[in-house]
Amino acid sequence: MTGFRTPAQSDFHAYAQLTKQQGDHLVRLGQWSGHECAQVDGLDGLLVLAREFVPDISTFFSDKFAQCQRGMGVIDDKIQRTSAAYTHVDQNTAAELRNIYPQSSVPFPDISTLPGGSDLGNFTDEDVDLKKLDSADDTTSKSIHTALMLARNSSDLKAAEHAFQWCTGQSLVELMLKPLFGEYGRLSCLSDAYDELGDAAYTVAGTLRKGSWRLGSEWSGEAATNFDSYLFCWTMGIGGVGDAAKLAAKAFKDGYHVVVGLVWEALSEIGKLMDEGIKKLAEQFAEMIAGDAAIEVVGLGPEDPVADVVAGIWTADKIYEMYKTVRLIINVIGIIQTIFEKISDAVDGIKKAVHEAVEFLNSPPPTIGSLIDDVEQRGFEFEKGGGWSPTMGASRIALLPAA
């Protein structure tokens, strides 16, 4: 067997150890996506729609990281078998290597021919840092909750609530306040969780990539090229999962800003309604109650027919005025509920954006040549540098081998 060279046995073992370490990291990433990315606490009111899709998205990522973790075991086994095959050189060695690394379905360059390739890679594990997330009960959520509680506890609203229910049979609180109660910071928190997940996936992909690059640069021949191609699919596929996580993070963050903006818009309308229509209705209701009582006192009591007639005229007039105010309130509630519909659409927009990301529908995978150029020009963790597009890169998930 001539025309090829192989890495030292110690390098095969070092790379096998590195894959085991990445497997441990991937277990943590799966746990993170299954817990931090699955939190639905506080998704109430108009946010309740998110309770349906947040766990599904989390499961997608947990499953992908489980697949990648199993893949590290497959790679470790292949490396051990390769190392054993190279301990003896006979007519069976080439066949064994072809069995371990089937020929790549696409042309792949020989990394060992790249100048200085062995100086680029190494077998050093990198820390995978998943930072503790901030509470979902953020400043914005607290401010919204405070504004809602002030409105709900208002004496004017309590008085107007009785009048409104008497006139319409419906509740002001249920119509204009209850849908807004929720922990909006949860959307931001989910964004941060996926952002951390994306960075961690990039780190694992980069670490595995630099190890395979080091091994591939010391190894020539058909088996070496097929190894390079196989590991390329794993490292790029893991990077693609990181891209999808980054797109999920952006979808939740964008949705958070849109939703919060609409909530403040609704609160502004509610504030104006509280200062005008609701305050007026409360005063009218109080006047009607007080007027009826005064007429009864001035007359001869409840049995006085004159008092009954006067009270009837007084009440009818006040009811007419109250109904006009109630009509005004209903019109404004219509405006508020239109904003509620926009909030629901924004929450649904998060779902659509994330599903689009995880289904990698935006574009075909980048070319092998362009990705190798990225490694050479921007380093093994090139996804973390400026200029990389997760939107373009998420399609790399399709490169993940079965495991």
Side-chain angles (χ1 to χ4, degrees):
M1 296 178 68
T2 60
F4 73 97
R5 55 195 176 94
T6 64
Q9 285 290 309
S10 59
D11 283 351
F12 279 122
H13 296 155
Y15 189 68
Q17 177 61 25
L18 189 65
T19 61
K20 291 178 181 177
Q21 292 170 318
Q22 301 323 295
D24 291 340
H25 294 321
L26 289 164
V27 168
R28 287 179 57 214
L29 300 195
Q31 293 170 342
W32 178 275
S33 58
H35 185 263
E36 301 297 342
C37 297
Q39 293 294 318
V40 295
D41 293 347
L43 294 178
D44 302 315
L46 294 169
L47 299 179
V48 75
L49 293 173
R51 284 181 176 268
E52 300 175 8
F53 63 79
V54 165
D56 292 340
I57 296 169
S58 166
T59 298
F60 169 85
F61 284 96
S62 295
D63 289 348
K64 286 301 176 185
F65 285 119
Q67 176 185 349
C68 295
Q69 189 272 331
R70 293 192 299 271
M72 297 305 100
V74 174
I75 295 170
D76 175 50
D77 177 68
K78 287 179 178 287
I79 292 295
Q80 299 292 355
R81 289 164 60 195
T82 303
S83 176
Y86 277 128
T87 58
H88 56 275
V89 178
D90 57 33
Q91 64 272 22
N92 296 320
T93 301
E96 173 66 12
L97 291 172
R98 281 194 293 271
N99 183 49
I100 298 172
Y101 305 109
Q103 186 171 6
S104 173
S105 59
V106 294
F108 199 85
D110 185 352
I111 292 178
S112 68
T113 63
L114 298 176
S118 61
D119 298 328
L120 297 176
N122 60 61
F123 304 118
T124 303
D125 186 32
E126 302 294 340
D127 290 335
V128 174
D129 184 22
L130 292 165
K131 299 174 184 175
K132 183 178 178 180
L133 302 176
D134 293 333
S135 169
D137 188 20
D138 63 2
T139 302
T140 299
S141 291
K142 289 178 180 177
S143 298
I144 291 171
H145 184 76
T146 298
L148 288 169
M149 292 302 294
L150 285 173
R152 192 171 72 176
N153 294 331
S154 162
S155 58
D156 286 339
L157 180 60
K158 290 177 180 178
E161 176 80 337
H162 292 298
F164 193 81
Q165 286 189 355
W166 186 71
C167 293
T168 68
Q170 298 188 72
S171 166
L172 280 169
V173 173
E174 294 288 329
L175 289 173
M176 70 178 193
L177 292 182
K178 189 174 180 179
L180 289 175
F181 277 96
E183 216 168 54
Y184 296 92
R186 176 61 60 196
L187 298 178
S188 180
C189 197
L190 286 167
S191 172
D192 293 341
Y194 278 109
D195 196 55
E196 288 291 316
L197 193 65
D199 280 337
Y202 288 160
T203 298
V204 171
T207 301
L208 196 64
R209 192 177 289 139
K210 69 178 181 178
S212 61
W213 195 276
R214 170 66 181 271
L215 204 64
S217 67
E218 301 172 344
W219 190 4
S220 63
E222 181 183 356
T225 300
N226 292 336
F227 163 83
D228 293 338
S229 175
Y230 180 68
L231 266 297
F232 175 88
C233 289
W234 274 113
T235 59
M236 289 301 169
I238 294 171
V241 178
D243 289 329
K246 286 291 186 178
L247 293 177
K250 183 178 185 302
F252 277 106
K253 187 68 76 177
D254 290 347
Y256 166 75
H257 288 304
V258 172
V259 167
V260 167
L262 289 168
V263 169
W264 284 119
E265 185 180 339
L267 286 172
S268 175
E269 293 294 337
I270 290 170
K272 288 186 287 187
L273 188 58
M274 292 287 293
D275 292 338
E276 299 169 6
I278 288 175
K279 184 178 181 65
K280 185 176 181 180
L281 182 60
E283 291 172 349
Q284 289 171 338
F285 188 65
E287 287 175 5
M288 185 183 75
I289 298 300
D292 285 347
I295 290 169
E296 295 292 351
V297 171
V298 171
L300 299 177
E303 304 304 325
D304 181 0
V306 176
D308 290 342
V309 171
V310 173
I313 296 172
W314 167 272
T315 302
D317 181 63
K318 290 301 177 184
I319 289 175
Y320 175 70
E321 293 300 322
M322 281 174 51
Y323 268 109
K324 287 200 299 184
T325 305
V326 166
R327 177 57 58 188
L328 170 66
I329 291 173
I330 290 173
N331 289 339
V332 178
I333 287 177
I335 295 172
I336 293 169
Q337 292 191 331
T338 298
I339 299 173
F340 289 173
E341 291 172 4
K342 292 179 181 178
I343 293 173
S344 296
D345 289 343
V347 173
D348 190 55
I350 297 174
K351 173 185 175 181
K352 291 178 180 177
V354 176
H355 280 179
E356 184 176 323
V358 300
E359 291 169 2
F360 39 88
L361 298 175
N362 288 307
S363 61
T367 65
I368 290 176
S370 69
L371 291 170
I372 290 177
D373 288 343
D374 284 324
V375 173
E376 290 186 290
Q377 296 170 17
R378 294 190 285 175
F380 296 110
E381 294 185 14
F382 60 82
E383 294 101 334
K384 290 186 177 182
W388 177 253
S389 170
T391 302
M392 297 291 291
S395 56
R396 296 182 296 164
I397 295 176
L399 295 173
L400 282 174

